[in-house]
């Protein structure tokens, strides 16, 4: 295909998947860039997103079925052909509104457009087998519970085994299933600019499906947005995109008007923004990130939301800054983590190399140790992650509290279904309807 030709939604999805394969790109970032470059309207953008995410969410299962009817093993296929087969197979198995004939024909045409005419017959033959058997696909190979769940829900076996150990087979299956489901976008109303009622009315007028969050005040759940950033309410800062779990982390900080707050791993700024709203934009928040380009994201987000109490700075959360010692009423440490609690929103995370995750607790411990020095006597320290693994969560905070008797866990009264927690809580999609998340609230004794 010539680079000057306008891509269809299917071609954009294919381009994004190829960037994930070849350049180790994040699918959401690749999609956002390609949708903008190709000028897709909201309908085509939503279709491209569904295709790309759907393939990422079901990649292992799709490859198994492709292998049932293709002479070559999927891993031996040319990457572009493998991705075209995945896109076609996903439409046939998971998208009721796409006619099977269209899914097959478009895949064949994509194969030709991408300069592989000799492969068109094979693509046609394999996808026609999908169509013939879409109601009675081949049985998955018999094996252990972990083997079955791994293939059925396209999660790596190591992660399935870990979840089985933590929460048992029933909850593991539900966790994995929810990772592959579409979820509404949770937003927090900016009370400095609007009310929940007015924002709900405005978004409905723009064709967005809106419901109040079932248990979190000041938040809404939205679907049917297309490119969310094109909405006037977003551009003009009347809401913040924030999962309920992240909102609870900001609530745990209990930041009050006039407080001095330090957010040591702040980018892209969501928890800083949420705390600033709780403070009525009165006080001081220093939002830090180690990457200068991410500091600009914080600054632009604060400007969009009309928050003036936030100052952003580049800083490594592991490095000591003497001027900050004992100065903060609240320190937020939302540390780098494996991200295994947000697979439902970033499906690529499931394919991370687990060896790369092994070093994370060392980084997390170093950040928590350093950040604790910035808390004033009587002040609050919040440690949070978007993962569900104990080695990144309660193991880290438990060791910290053992070594630092000057800190104590603080009971927090979260709304139901989370409810009161004695200082720490792990949130689960299948239990709470949130991202997988961990929050620990601690207080430095006077």
């Amino acid at each position: 295909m010539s680079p000057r030709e306008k891509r269809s939604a299917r071609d954009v999805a294919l381009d994004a998947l190829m960037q994930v394969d070849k350049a180790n790109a994040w699918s959401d970032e690749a999609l956002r860039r390609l949708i903008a470059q190709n000028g897709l309207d909201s309908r085509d953008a939503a279709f491209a997103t569904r295709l790309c995410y759907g393939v990422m969410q079901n990649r292992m299962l799709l490859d198994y079925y492709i292998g049932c009817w293709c002479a070559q093993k999927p891993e031996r296929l040319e990457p572009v052909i493998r991705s075209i087969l995945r896109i076609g197979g996903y439409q046939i198995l998971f998208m009721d509104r796409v006619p099977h004939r269209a899914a097959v024909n478009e895949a064949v045409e994509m194969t030709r457009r991408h300069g592989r005419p000799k492969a068109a017959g094979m693509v046609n033959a394999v996808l026609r087998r999908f169509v013939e058997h879409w109601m009675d696909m081949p049985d998955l190979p018999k094996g252990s519970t972990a083997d079955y769940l791994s293939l059925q829900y396209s999660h790596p076996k190591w992660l399935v085994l870990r979840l089985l150990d933590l929460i048992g087979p029933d909850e593991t299956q539900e966790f994995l299933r929810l990772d592959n489901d579409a979820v509404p976008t949770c937003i927090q109303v900016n009370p400095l600019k609007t009310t929940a009622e007015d924002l709900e009315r405005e978004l409905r007028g723009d064709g967005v499906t809106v419901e109040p969050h079932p248990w979190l005040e000041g938040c809404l759940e939205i679907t049917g947005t297309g490119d969310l950033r094109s909405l006037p309410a977003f551009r003009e800062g009347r809401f913040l995109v924030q999962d309920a779990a992240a909102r609870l982390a900001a609530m745990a900080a209990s930041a009050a008007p006039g407080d001095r707050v330090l957010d040591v791993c702040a980018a892209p700024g969501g928890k800083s923004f949420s705390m600033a709203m709780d403070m009525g934009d009165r006080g001081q928040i220093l939002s830090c990130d180690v990457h200068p380009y991410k500091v600009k994201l914080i600054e632009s987000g604060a400007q969009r939301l009309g928050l003036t109490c936030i100052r952003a700075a580049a800083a490594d959360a592991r490095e000591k800054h003497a001027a900050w010692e004992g100065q903060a009423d609240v320190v937020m440490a939302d540390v780098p983590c494996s991200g295994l609690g947000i697979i439902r929103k970033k499906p690529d995370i499931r394919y991370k190399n687990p060896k790369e995750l092994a070093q994370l607790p060392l980084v997390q411990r170093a950040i928590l140790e350093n950040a604790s020095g910035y808390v004033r006597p009587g002040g609050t320290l919040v440690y949070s992650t978007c993962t569900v693994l104990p080695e990144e969560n309660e193991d880290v905070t438990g060791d910290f509290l053992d070594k630092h008797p000057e800190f104590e866990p603080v009971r927090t009264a979260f709304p139901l279904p989370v409810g009161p927690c004695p200082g720490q809580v792990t949130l689960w999609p299948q239990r709470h309807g949130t991202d997988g998340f961990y929050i620990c609230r601690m207080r430095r004794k006077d």
Side-chain angles (χ1 to χ4, degrees):
M1 175 183 286
S2 166
R4 295 184 179 180
E5 290 183 48
K6 180 179 172 64
R7 258 79 166 164
S8 68
R10 289 180 174 90
D11 289 316
V12 166
L14 176 61
D15 289 347
L17 290 168
M18 293 302 295
Q19 289 188 19
V20 171
D21 272 353
K22 289 183 176 179
N24 202 27
W26 288 102
S27 59
D28 58 340
E29 294 173 2
L31 266 173
R32 190 179 300 121
R33 183 172 59 253
L34 289 163
I35 286 169
Q37 287 174 357
N38 290 278
L40 298 190
D41 60 25
S42 60
R43 183 177 177 180
D44 281 346
F47 186 41
T49 301
R50 172 83 185 274
L51 288 177
C52 182
Y53 275 38
V55 167
M56 293 298 298
Q57 290 167 337
N58 296 278
R59 195 169 80 182
M60 294 166 62
L61 182 64
L62 290 168
D63 282 358
Y64 172 73
Y65 290 139
I66 290 167
C68 291
W69 294 311
C70 185
Q72 283 183 283
K73 293 182 178 180
E75 60 268 24
R76 301 292 298 274
L77 290 169
E78 191 178 356
V80 67
I81 300 302
R82 185 172 61 233
S83 290
I84 288 171
L85 285 170
R86 287 168 174 169
I87 289 172
Y90 177 75
Q91 292 171 84
I92 293 164
L93 296 183
F94 294 98
M95 298 187 74
D96 296 339
R97 296 185 180 181
V98 177
H100 290 170
R101 179 179 297 179
V104 176
N105 292 345
E106 288 294 333
V108 171
E109 289 305 311
M110 286 171 70
T111 306
R112 293 182 175 132
R113 285 200 300 272
H114 284 79
R116 310 298 194 279
K118 292 182 179 179
M122 181 272 288
V123 168
N124 181 67
V126 171
L127 292 181
R128 284 191 177 279
R129 297 302 297 275
F130 270 78
V131 172
E132 291 170 13
H133 295 280
W134 74 282
M135 291 291 287
D136 59 340
M137 296 297 283
D139 291 336
L140 301 186
K142 293 181 179 179
S144 67
T145 299
D147 289 326
Y148 171 81
L149 293 175
S150 174
L151 187 53
Q152 175 68 42
Y153 297 102
S154 295
H155 283 67
K157 186 176 176 181
W158 74 264
L159 177 55
V160 175
L161 286 168
R162 194 73 184 89
L163 290 169
L164 287 169
D165 182 56
L166 288 172
I167 55 177
D170 291 342
E171 279 202 271
T172 293
Q173 182 164 4
E174 185 66 1
F175 179 97
L176 301 176
R177 185 188 69 77
L178 289 171
D179 272 352
N180 289 356
D181 271 1
V183 294
T185 298
C186 182
I187 62 174
Q188 181 181 345
V189 180
N190 183 353
L192 304 176
K193 291 195 171 187
T194 189
T195 64
E197 294 77 14
D198 287 345
L199 180 60
E200 189 174 343
R201 190 179 306 112
E202 177 184 359
L203 291 173
R204 284 207 173 100
D206 287 334
V208 177
T209 301
V210 189
E211 295 293 340
H213 191 277
W215 50 266
L216 196 51
E217 187 178 356
C219 292
L220 305 171
E221 291 185 334
I222 61 175
T223 55
T225 62
D227 182 3
L228 182 147
R229 294 173 302 169
S230 69
L231 294 171
F234 178 86
R235 294 198 308 268
E236 296 163 17
R238 287 189 281 281
F239 68 84
L240 163 67
V241 179
Q242 181 95 296
D243 186 76
R247 172 59 185 144
L248 291 181
M251 289 173 63
S254 298
D259 275 353
R260 291 168 297 177
V261 177
L262 177 59
D263 190 348
V264 298
C265 303
K271 295 174 191 65
S272 287
F273 305 152
S274 189
M275 290 186 290
M277 293 175 190
D278 290 340
M279 295 163 62
D281 200 30
R282 300 192 301 276
Q284 302 172 31
I285 298 180
L286 180 58
S287 303
C288 302
D289 195 87
V290 69
H291 301 292
Y293 80 93
K294 290 188 176 181
V295 172
K296 293 181 180 179
L297 292 177
I298 299 170
E299 290 172 339
S300 63
Q303 184 177 16
R304 179 182 68 84
L305 293 161
L307 300 170
T308 61
C309 72
I310 293 175
R311 180 168 68 87
D316 189 328
R318 294 168 293 184
E319 294 180 359
K320 188 70 68 179
H321 294 270
W324 302 350
E325 286 288 307
Q327 297 299 305
D329 299 293
V330 175
V331 172
M332 172 69 70
D334 184 53
V335 299
C337 70
S338 60
L340 298 173
I342 57 171
I343 290 175
R344 63 185 192 155
K345 294 175 180 172
K346 294 179 80 74
D348 328 40
I349 288 173
R350 72 187 76 193
Y351 303 115
K352 279 185 176 181
N353 185 343
K355 293 180 180 178
E356 297 175 3
L357 308 180
Q359 299 302 311
L360 283 169
L362 293 176
V363 175
Q364 294 156 350
R365 290 167 191 267
I367 291 173
L368 181 57
E369 179 70 30
N370 189 46
S372 68
Y374 303 140
V375 184
R376 67 161 177 81
T380 298
L381 172 63
V382 176
Y383 175 93
S384 65
T385 73
C386 53
T387 190
V388 294
L389 298 183
E391 50 266 38
E392 299 183 64
N393 295 338
E394 52 262 44
D395 290 356
V396 173
T397 56
D399 285 352
F400 172 81
L401 289 167
D402 286 344
K403 295 173 183 175
H404 290 274
E406 72 274 21
F407 281 88
E408 61 185 357
V410 179
R411 182 178 176 84
T412 305
F414 291 126
L416 294 172
V418 181
C421 71
Q424 64 178 347
V425 63
T426 300
L427 303 169
W428 294 86
Q430 77 279 6
R431 296 178 188 175
H432 307 109
T434 67
D435 288 341
F437 216 87
Y438 173 78
I439 303 167
C440 181
R441 179 184 179 188
M442 295 166 276
R443 173 183 174 274
R444 186 169 196 157
K445 299 173 185 176
D446 295 325

